[in-house]
Amino acid sequence: MSKRAVFAAGLTVFAILVGSESIAAVRAARQATPQWSVTVGLGPAPTAGAGSEQAREGDRPSPPPSPSPSPSPGPSPGPAASPGRAASPGPAASPGPASSPSPRPTVDQELLQRFTGSARVALTFDDGPHPQWTPQVLDELRAAGVKAMFCLIGTQVRRYPALVARMVREGHSLCNHSWGHELNLGLMAPAEIRANLLRTNKEIRKAVPGVPIGHFRHPGGAWTPAAVEVASELDMVSLDWHVDPRDWDKPTKEEILHRIQAQTRPGSIILLHDGGGDRSATVAVLPAALTELRQRHGITLLGASLSP
């Protein structure tokens, strides 16, 4: 055999050996790759799972499984879990309604006066006396020759007794509207309701001795059986209303007039205000409203007055 042939044969053998090792390496790599992929694939899965559980535990108020104390000096982990669950959306819905105020007791509507008992309508003014608005209301009533009932707040009477005296002197009647406009008065104990009304009557009669006070109007019309009963025991009629033009809500005088026109019918008791806020629109609407009401229905006075 020639040297060239021997060299060629040697190269062939060497290529075969190298090729076998390469093939073996490739096969080994192929076999190792799935194992490595599986290892990598399974590795993060438990980690992610643990992370999710930690996140859920973080959403809960209870501490991590470790029983070691919390770094803060606050409550121990055990008690913290209960308040947290109680504050969760599910249970929180249950205490919500329970903590809301109970429905106001039902009042026999027949015990509340909303109409005059005749075809004529009546005007009532609440929340006075007020040093700015009450004199202007009184001026308009006097100019129109109309008498009205004033539902008085005890604290306001104490401040402005001369205005109460003027009301009576000009032929208007008076009504008890509580001592301090307590909207929750009717939910108090009967003894507290009585004390409130008596205190108010006493203050009114300090301004005008012997003046009749035959009506009580609950602040906000938030009547309860207890309030009606106490008023009755004190010989006062529970005075409600039929027409509320919402002059307390700062409407324009045109809106007040429109509401009075739309709501009033024969015998309506009309609610207006001379105190409790800016009553400029109420004062401004009176000339037109008084003229129309007198022409359409006639106006009468609720209750009794010391003056003719």
Side-chain angles (χ1 to χ4, degrees), residues 1 3 5 19 39 60 82 97 108 146 153 169 200 204 228 242 279:
M1 182 180 295
K3 291 181 179 180
T39 303
R60 301 173 190 165
S82 288
D108 183 353
V146 171
I153 300 295
R169 189 169 61 249
T200 306
I204 293 172
V228 173
H242 175 247
R279 303 303 176 218

Side-chain angles (χ1 to χ4, degrees), residues 109 111-116 121-127 149 151 175-177 181 183 215-223 237-248 259-260 263-273 302:
Q109 299 300 303
L111 300 177
L112 305 179
Q113 184 178 359
R114 294 194 175 96
F115 293 91
T116 63
V121 302
L123 294 171
T124 62
F125 291 88
D126 283 18
D127 298 349
M149 173 173 278
C151 300
C175 165
N176 186 319
H177 196 36
H181 205 273
L183 292 172
H215 291 76
F216 164 65
R217 174 173 279 168
H218 197 294
W223 295 101
V237 175
S238 292
L239 177 65
D240 208 62
W241 60 83
H242 175 247
V243 176
D244 179 8
R246 297 172 65 90
D247 63 332
W248 46 267
R259 292 166 185 171
I260 291 175
Q263 298 177 34
T264 303
R265 71 187 214 195
S268 291
I269 293 176
I270 301 168
L271 170 67
L272 291 165
H273 294 79
L302 287 177

